[in-house]
Amino acid sequence: MFRAKCVLGIFGTLIVSSVLNADQPLFRHRVINANSTNCACAVLDVNADGQLDIVAGNFWYLAPNWEKHPVREVEQIRGRADDYSNLPLDVNKDGHTDLISCNYRSQSLYWIQNPGPSAPAGQTWVKHEIEKPGPMETGRLADVDGDGRLDVLPNGTQFAAWWDVEPGPVPKWTRFPLPEQLAGHGSGFGDINGDGRNDVIGPKGWAEAPEDRRNGRWVYHPEFDLWKGASIPILVQDVDADGDNDLIWGRGHRFGLYWMEQTKDSEGHRHWIRNAIDTSWSQAHSLLWADLNGDKRPELIAGSRYMGHDGKDPGEYNPLVVSSYQFLPETRTWKRTIISAGQNVGFGLDPKVADLDGDEDLDLICPGRSGLYVLENLLKNPAGRSPDSAKPAITASDYNHADVSTVRDRDGKSRPINTPFDLGLRRQHILDGMSLAMGPVPQSELRVPLEMEVLMEESTDKYLRKRISFASEPGDRVPAWLLIPKDLKAPVAAMLCLHQTTGIGKGEPAGLGGLENLHYAHELAELGFVCLVPDYPSFGDYPYDFKVKGTHYGSGSMKAIWNNMRAIDLLESLDEVDPDRIGCIGHSLGGHNTLFTAAFDSRIRASVTSCGFTAFHHYYEGNLAGWTSDRYMPRIRDEYGNDPSRVPFDFYEVLAAIAPRSIFVNAPISDNNFENSGVRKVVTEVEHTQKIYGEQAGVITARYPECDHDFPDEVRAEAYQWLKEQLQ
């Protein structure tokens, strides 16, 4: 059987695919070096024995048992290995695969010379500097000029260029400039305009390849914005098989995977429609595109990066995950398969996919600061299918839900929470517990294109008010008001505004009826926030029978949470909105749904909850019947007997799951629904939890006004100022 000598780190589809039946594979977790901190790797046959080995950092690892052998001493700069890519290419044309490295901290582009299998054991691979062009996140190989030979395309954050290499004993390197607008975090390569020439993609546009890619002018097109920290690579693929290429990218330092659909209007002008794929995890810095399940259709493969910014990015302390996503043309959604979760396996800066063991399916080689691992595809080895990465199930009795100071490890042993990583694990357990009562959060298969429709538009003094609807899942549309301030000069902060229990639903926060002191969407829009106000299912203009239409949800609460997550998708899709400045506000029903949504959706940076919760034991002296209608959580009645001691979560945990993000609490002293002393206990407990996050800790601002179930003027005004500060 033919075995490749190396696996290329290139843009685009992996050429080798596993041509097998389309069963869904499982993956065996193999530890290559748990102490490795190198974020790049290469796969090549180092010793010419016909088997693919792994090179990462200071060592190469001999297949099939992965014995460690020295390569070189990688320079450490401010605690990071200066080896941000391992791009395999025979640079000096001696028949041995060398490695090319594009680096951030040293700002250097260099290659490492492979001495070959006949070299004395332990001989160092020599480093040859090419140039110091500036900081580079990483790089990939691509045939930029179309001459059939791979070139080096770094992701320069302050420059844009590519390098041609003429291999030989003295290799010749030539730098070719690209439009400076391509510089930034995120890079891709592929044919955007269908002219047969591959273009270069950056975070805010693309450069059109001229016929003469070396000497011609690359024309820059600022057609889209992939936001801060786009992945490397940005994949260029015809996702929906409509004849033009689309874009797939992850947020390398935030939450979310997305795809941008390329469309054209009747006059032939190109437009891009942003669609969310999965926003449940963060740090999707590196993407792969390959056929893991043998159905001849490549999948998107992504994994969370470990500590890319040393805990300063959202979600860095959450458990690592690696997943694949298959596009479903019937619904235009993506089917997610979790490959690894809750272990130390993630994607660093340059992961690889290859048939490492020669069994005709594709394995994943995963380097990162948490170690070097292989996820072995068991598609061809059904007898070996035992998902060794499966985590133990969380049950209602695993925790004292009023105590967020402990966590259970993978062996089920309880220990004190001392680090943010402990809190990240406890957060996952909290969400698991909430899902026992609410049902699981829908997966990406339900994330249909939003297809927002504007049904009516009217102007007020300070903002436009649009009656809209948007698709939340197949066969269901959510009615909403969208309030957009006038005369915006740049994207601004946005608020998801959730209404209380009222027949007019969204109309009250939008200022169209109900209580004036609950017109918070209207007031926030006048202050310059974009506001989206959806109806809760069964309120306002949204008739919904939970026993007929919502049977695939475990609760009405989870249906509302999903709708709210799709509402965040919609806010992100608007040109008027800064996607990194989104908050949520609600009163009563909207108050606890603000918290529920923020717990499950970390894109919400700041939450305001008014009269929205108390500890379950303090809710009507522990009688939880009010939480159990079809609109809310009937499992509390049916499975937990309305007993707060049996319910698998409490609001101590809900607020702790939102940390380290900030929360503003309005809890009136005389609120008859949500007893005040229970709120104070929750706030006190979670304030201690926030402190564990250190400099990244948010704030819990609690106000206890002398009133009943109300959101008084002075507290609202303070909440609005607080939101301005949190979302600045």
Side-chain angles (χ1 to χ4, degrees):
M1 179 181 63
F2 169 78
R3 297 294 304 283
K5 292 180 65 177
C6 68
V7 174
L8 301 177
I10 61 175
F11 286 104
T13 307
L14 187 79
I15 298 172
V16 181
S17 68
S18 46
V19 184
L20 301 163
N21 60 24
D23 291 339
Q24 186 59 55
L26 292 175
F27 289 79
R28 179 183 289 135
H29 170 273
R30 293 197 179 278
V31 180
I32 307 302
N33 185 349
N35 297 316
S36 175
T37 60
N38 216 70
C39 290
C41 72
V43 177
L44 61 146
D45 183 2
V46 175
N47 62 339
D49 66 352
Q51 298 190 77
L52 290 174
D53 310 303
I54 300 172
V55 182
N58 295 347
F59 304 101
W60 70 274
Y61 302 86
L62 175 64
N65 297 318
W66 313 115
E67 294 97 342
K68 185 168 63 175
H69 299 271
V71 170
R72 63 189 178 108
E73 284 292 329
V74 177
E75 183 182 6
Q76 299 288 316
I77 302 177
R78 300 191 303 279
R80 300 292 181 93
D82 191 51
D83 196 20
Y84 286 59
S85 66
N86 283 177
L87 310 180
L89 194 69
D90 184 3
V91 173
N92 58 356
K93 215 170 183 179
D94 64 355
H96 311 313
T97 302
D98 309 300
L99 300 177
I100 302 168
S101 189
C102 312
N103 298 287
Y104 188 86
R105 298 199 174 189
S106 70
Q107 305 186 21
S108 65
L109 178 65
Y110 64 80
W111 67 282
I112 310 151
Q113 184 176 346
N114 179 354
S118 61
Q123 180 171 330
T124 298
W125 297 29
V126 178
K127 172 182 171 181
H128 303 270
E129 186 171 291
I130 302 164
E131 192 174 335
K132 281 194 172 183
M136 295 161 279
E137 283 289 325
T138 181
R140 295 295 186 267
L141 298 175
D143 183 6
V144 178
D145 55 2
D147 65 354
R149 194 171 63 198
L150 289 172
D151 309 298
V152 180
L153 182 57
N155 178 207
T157 61
Q158 299 174 14
F159 73 92
W162 62 277
W163 275 258
D164 172 80
V165 56
E166 293 183 20
V170 182
K172 179 182 178 182
W173 298 87
T174 306
R175 173 177 175 164
F176 293 93
L178 290 165
E180 62 182 11
Q181 298 96 323
L182 290 170
H185 198 303
S187 180
F189 185 71
D191 185 4
I192 294 295
N193 58 355
D195 64 358
R197 298 191 292 269
N198 286 324
D199 310 298
V200 178
I201 294 85
K204 293 183 180 295
W206 62 284
E208 181 179 348
E211 187 170 351
D212 181 352
R213 271 82 100 195
R214 289 171 172 250
N215 303 306
R217 177 173 173 262
W218 293 71
V219 178
Y220 182 73
H221 301 273
E223 294 181 353
F224 47 74
D225 185 354
L226 306 186
W227 306 327
K228 298 176 183 176
S231 59
I232 305 99
I234 300 161
L235 296 173
V236 183
Q237 299 292 335
D238 186 1
V239 171
D240 50 3
D242 64 351
D244 54 31
N245 277 329
D246 310 298
L247 303 178
I248 309 168
W249 86 99
R251 301 208 67 187
H253 300 284
R254 294 289 190 275
F255 279 80
L257 283 168
Y258 301 84
W259 72 287
M260 191 85 86
E261 179 187 359
Q262 181 179 168
T263 65
K264 289 184 179 177
D265 61 24
S266 58
E267 297 180 353
H269 298 132
R270 185 178 295 102
H271 299 279
W272 299 89
I273 301 173
R274 183 182 288 110
N275 300 279
I277 299 172
D278 186 0
T279 57
S280 64
W281 57 275
S282 70
Q283 319 301 310
H285 203 284
S286 300
L287 307 182
L288 297 170
W289 184 255
D291 178 15
L292 295 181
N293 64 1
D295 66 354
K296 301 184 182 181
R297 295 186 302 152
E299 301 110 60
L300 166 65
I301 310 158
S304 41
R305 183 183 177 192
Y306 178 77
M307 296 300 282
H309 283 163
D310 297 314
K312 297 177 183 177
D313 289 338
E316 280 199 87
Y317 293 112
N318 293 343
L320 298 176
V321 64
V322 177
S323 300
S324 67
Y325 300 84
Q326 184 91 61
F327 184 71
L328 305 175
E330 301 82 8
T331 56
R332 300 177 66 78
T333 62
W334 298 74
K335 178 179 175 60
R336 180 189 185 190
T337 299
I338 296 177
I339 296 172
S340 173
Q343 301 208 44
N344 291 329
V345 186
F347 277 10
L349 297 170
D350 189 8
K352 295 295 196 296
V353 57
D355 182 6
L356 201 59
D357 49 9
D359 65 353
E360 300 184 12
D361 55 29
L362 297 176
D363 311 300
L364 299 173
I365 303 89
C366 308
R369 297 182 72 195
S370 60
L372 175 63
Y373 304 91
V374 167
L375 294 172
E376 179 191 354
N377 193 337
L378 300 178
L379 185 64
K380 285 288 287 182
N381 182 20
R385 292 188 183 186
S386 59
D388 56 6
S389 63
K391 61 181 179 180
I394 295 298
T395 65
S397 60
D398 281 343
Y399 284 103
N400 171 3
H401 302 293
D403 179 6
V404 290
S405 67
T406 64
V407 65
R408 290 185 179 272
D409 59 24
R410 286 182 56 83
D411 297 324
K413 297 178 180 178
S414 180
R415 67 172 188 268
I417 289 176
N418 295 314
T419 71
F421 291 108
D422 294 336
L423 280 173
L425 180 57
R426 178 66 190 270
R427 175 182 179 272
Q428 184 58 58
H429 293 170
I430 291 169
L431 298 184
D432 290 345
M434 293 174 69
S435 297
L436 289 175
M438 299 178 179
V441 178
Q443 292 296 310
S444 51
E445 295 99 307
L446 289 190
R447 214 163 200 150
V448 295
L450 290 162
E451 296 179 343
M452 185 183 83
E453 296 179 1
V454 179
L455 307 174
M456 183 191 76
E457 182 174 325
E458 54 193 8
S459 179
T460 72
D461 289 342
K462 294 186 178 180
Y463 62 84
L464 295 176
R465 181 167 53 225
K466 300 182 180 183
R467 182 191 292 272
I468 68 166
S469 71
F470 61 90
S472 65
E473 60 180 288
D476 190 42
R477 297 187 65 84
V478 179
W481 286 110
L482 176 61
L483 314 182
I484 301 179
K486 294 179 177 179
D487 302 322
L488 295 178
K489 301 296 190 294
V492 298
M495 292 297 299
L496 175 62
C497 303
L498 306 179
H499 63 77
Q500 68 161 340
T501 301
T502 175
I504 65 171
K506 64 185 180 300
E508 186 170 63
L512 299 175
L515 301 175
E516 287 189 11
N517 57 347
L518 297 182
H519 291 177
Y520 33 84
H522 162 74
E523 293 171 340
L524 285 165
E526 289 200 323
L527 291 172
F529 292 83
V530 172
C531 294
L532 181 59
V533 197
D535 276 327
Y536 190 100
S538 76
F539 288 96
D541 299 316
Y542 192 6
Y544 195 91
D545 189 332
F546 295 94
K547 291 183 177 179
V548 175
K549 200 171 184 179
T551 55
H552 53 296
Y553 288 95
S555 66
S557 293
M558 184 51 70
K559 169 58 177 169
I561 291 167
W562 178 250
N563 285 0
N564 294 339
M565 293 171 69
R566 298 309 322 274
I568 299 295
D569 291 348
L570 191 148
L571 286 172
E572 285 188 326
S573 75
L574 300 175
D575 292 338
E576 296 88 351
V577 171
D578 181 340
D580 295 330
R581 298 165 62 200
I582 295 176
C584 190
I585 186 172
H587 176 78
S588 194
L589 168 67
H592 48 258
N593 277 285
T594 289
L595 297 176
F596 293 159
T597 304
F600 281 102
D601 196 329
S602 294
R603 294 174 295 173
I604 296 174
R605 265 186 56 187
S607 302
V608 176
T609 176
S610 171
C611 301
F613 74 96
T614 189
F616 278 149
H617 283 87
H618 290 258
Y619 180 83
Y620 290 97
E621 299 181 343
N623 181 359
L624 302 185
W627 289 100
T628 63
S629 76
D630 292 338
R631 284 174 169 169
Y632 309 128
M633 292 172 278
R635 289 183 183 180
I636 288 179
R637 175 193 63 231
D638 299 339
E639 298 187 23
Y640 305 109
N642 290 339
D643 183 351
S645 297
R646 294 174 56 197
V647 174
F649 78 96
D650 204 336
F651 280 96
Y652 302 91
E653 296 174 300
V654 177
L655 271 69
I658 297 171
R661 292 165 289 150
S662 295
I663 306 169
F664 185 101
V665 178
N666 170 49
I669 290 174
S670 301
D671 189 338
N672 291 326
N673 284 3
F674 300 103
E675 197 269 333
N676 181 270
S677 67
V679 177
R680 292 174 186 263
K681 286 184 178 180
V682 170
V683 168
T684 299
E685 177 73 14
V686 178
E687 283 176 334
H688 295 309
T689 302
Q690 279 274 20
K691 293 176 182 177
I692 293 175
Y693 283 105
E695 293 181 358
Q696 307 308 314
V699 297
I700 299 181
T701 302
R703 295 294 178 262
Y704 306 109
E706 291 276 1
C707 62
D708 55 13
H709 194 72
D710 196 8
F711 200 175
D713 294 348
E714 66 277 8
V715 180
R716 288 201 320 284
E718 185 178 359
Y720 299 161
Q721 181 60 37
W722 180 90
L723 283 168
K724 286 184 177 181
E725 294 168 359
Q726 293 296 320
L727 299 178
Q728 62 185 355

